[in-house]
Amino acid sequence: MKDEQQSITDIERPSHTVSPREILLRYLPFLPWVLGSIFIFLSLAFLKLRYSPNIYNVKGTILISDPNAMGNQSDKIEEMLFATPNKNINDEIQVLRSRHMAKRVAKSLRLEIQYFVEGKIRTSQISTAGSPFKLEILSRSDSTQEFGFPVFMLNDREFSLVENGAKVFFNQPFETSMGRFSLRRTEVSISSFGSSKFIVDFASADTRANQLVSGLSALPSGESDNILELTYTTENTEIGVAIVNQWMKEYQQAGLEDKKQVAVNALKFIDEQTESVKEELGGVERNLLGFREKNKIINPEQQAANIFSTLTELENDLTKQGVQVQVIDNLIRYISDNRNPFRQVGSTLGIEEPSLALQIAEFNKLQVDRETILKTTTRSNPTVVNLETALEKLRIDILQNLKNVRQAYQFSINDLNARNRVMGREVSQIPAKEKQLIDITRRQKILEELYSFLLQKKLETSIGSASTISNVRVIEPAIASDGPVSPNRQTTYTTALFLGLLLPSLIIFLLEYFNDKVKSREDIQKATQAPIIGEVGHAEEKTPLVVSQTSRKFIAEQFRIIRTNLQYILTKQDKAVILITSSTSGEGKSFISSNFGAVMALTGKKTAILEFDIRKPKIMSALNLPRRTGITNFIIGKSSFEDLAVPMPGFDNLFIIPCGPIPPNPAELLLDERLELLMQKLKETYDIIVIDTAPVGLVSDAVALGKFADATLYVVRHNYTYKKQLQLLNEIYTNKRLPKISLIINDIKAEGGYGKYYGYGGYGYTGYGYGSEYFDEMKPKPFKILNSLKNIFNKN
């Protein structure tokens, strides 16, 4: 017998690999929902594209060349007076996109006042030149408050601030809570607009600057790092072109202003030095004049001509060294002055010291870097703090270098003076007054040369400043894109299609993932080794009995298949006791018991169905049979065996043994010795005994009755029984707590929807098709297209 049961198991469980067709058939019922989701998302995408404003790109290109600030300067003068840092393209992008630059653009184009036309769906901005009127602010109640108000144009002469409100004439002042204004009519016709409602919006330049910065991007072009491409996104291409062109113009002008400021600083430094030397030279000349007048000396004595010719070279050297020392002293005073911490050093003014020239050039470069960064940030910025620290260190280094150079010059002067003293002893015979005259004249000569040098540098700087040109050049003026860049129709529809597929797919996945109920034959086969004896489809009829003598319905044939398969388990057994149970209530035990008993009775065997679910009996009430004495009455000795059987109308050999009154102690009642007497009499009287007992997963009734049974039919309901309940079934089967367990899969739904049952290969819930012409209960199915597709796949 064990071998026979094993053969049933092998028959019921062929090895099978899921094919793409089976997967398609499994998920084909969801196709209407997927198509509906796609339709909804595509409709939403259409509405979005229909009512979203078109966004255009406006592009312009500029070239940032090397910083040659001066036009006709020598390399040395440019290096000394106008030390300009190399342009870093990333820094220039930050300056270009700064709020300071955007504010200049907003003020230049008067973007504080903006005009909009309000349509039925959306509001669009119009340019100042394209507006039918212009706002003139006569006075404002609060200069810090931003404002806006609607304008309803009635005709070319009148408008109102409220719909159907008081009329106001164009070019006439009117007052609101925000101030006193006037609307000046332009030549733009109202008929060019689809609406007569306009909106005037006023905001500060700072607010407009923030809006402009958010819409502008600046990136190096792929051709060169020094070429920047400015892109501005806008709804109105006319406004966008004006903004980009003005932005490039303001950036170009700002760079020119920076260069001119450098020249102004240099001229200021030279002027200060020139004025100081001029005053000192005037004092020396006054001393010389007084000395000559007092001592009546006009020319030196001819007697010292030869000696003086010897001293000429020494005097020239002393003069040159004196000029250098004077320049160094002036530079030391200027750099040491705490009032000039962040002013540029104009020049070394002839000091021939390469390291000093490099230090001053670097000092001026850092000053320019600091002034550039301060246009876009504050002094608390770490970059500014670092620059100021570097400037202070470099200032100290320059002072030390100047002192070292001065000391070297002083050593040279001391040496020349020593030699001069030697020569002085040779001219000791020259009158002291003449010697004093020579000293004054030498001092005068030094100051005259220094003054001439400063005047020359001032002239050169003025000429260079006048010829300064910007290192920013516009390569291509602003031009708008041919078509809108947003919304992107292709991307929007593609995204909508993707979401339309994703959403139902995600829902299907979640339903599949979180569903813990039996929904396929494979779920059962994975959980237990018990054989599957048959499958029963969903009964559309309300009657509990679907089996009859003349029934050709498919569900009736399924019970006949179960009857046939049972022969392989109960071989050569004319009489048998069949126990029917399940894991929990609601899985259809009573339905299976009634129809299985009916199909057995149709074979001519006398069949009894025992309503042994004595806690919740259902068979009698389901079959509309009257309640009467039953099993519990017999066990307690209140009824005879002959009074138990109730014949089933329409069936010659089918009898129902009712439960009787529900006892208070069902478990103990099943241990009564009269139960064995009852089962003995039943076996003597009936060929087939079907015991409808309580769920084995809830109470022990089925196990207690198992000793009387020859086989057990365990009911598993499709999409109702939990997978974890199959663990109990497998434990009962493995431990053989019930005899010859076979499974019946009940309430299988053949048509689409979530939870459809899949048997062998997905061919309906029997494995061989549901809807054959052999059966006569086929009703029109919903989703005829899907059914046609299924038939095509099933034929292939």
Side-chain angles (χ1 to χ4, degrees), residues 5 50 61 148 212 254 292 415 456 630 730:
Q5 187 169 357
R50 174 66 177 81
T61 308
L212 292 176
R292 288 180 180 275
D415 180 66
Q456 178 186 358
N730 191 56

Side-chain angles (χ1 to χ4, degrees), residues 1-15 521 525 529-533 564-571 733 740-742 760:
M1 192 65 82
K2 180 178 180 181
D3 295 337
E4 293 169 356
Q5 187 169 357
Q6 181 64 36
S7 66
I8 292 292
T9 304
D10 296 338
I11 292 173
E12 295 292 335
R13 296 188 181 175
S15 60
R521 189 184 187 100
Q525 292 173 340
Q529 293 295 318
I532 299 174
I533 197 172
T564 302
N565 289 340
L566 189 62
Q567 295 177 2
Y568 292 96
I569 298 176
L570 302 174
T571 56
Y733 176 79
K740 297 181 181 179
I741 297 177
S742 300
Y760 292 143

Side-chain angles (χ1 to χ4, degrees), residues 640-654:
S640 63
F641 177 77
E642 290 74 13
D643 297 332
L644 298 180
V646 178
M648 181 65 196
F651 291 85
D652 295 335
N653 297 310
L654 181 61

Side-chain angles (χ1 to χ4, degrees), residues 762-775:
Y763 298 94
Y765 55 69
T766 64
Y768 299 100
Y770 179 65
S772 169
E773 63 273 13
Y774 287 178
F775 310 111

Side-chain angles (χ1 to χ4, degrees), residues 343-396:
R343 293 176 58 185
Q344 299 181 29
V345 178
S347 171
T348 57
L349 300 176
I351 300 175
E352 297 179 357
E353 180 59 35
S355 61
L356 180 60
L358 291 176
Q359 286 179 326
I360 291 177
E362 178 64 17
F363 184 82
N364 290 339
K365 173 181 176 298
L366 293 178
Q367 292 283 21
V368 172
D369 287 346
R370 177 181 173 275
E371 291 177 3
T372 300
I373 294 175
L374 282 176
K375 292 179 180 179
T376 58
T377 184
T378 63
R379 288 192 61 183
S380 60
N381 186 284
T383 303
V384 177
V385 173
N386 292 337
L387 285 174
E388 291 180 356
T389 303
L391 284 169
E392 184 59 28
K393 183 178 182 304
L394 191 57
R395 187 193 307 277
I396 296 172

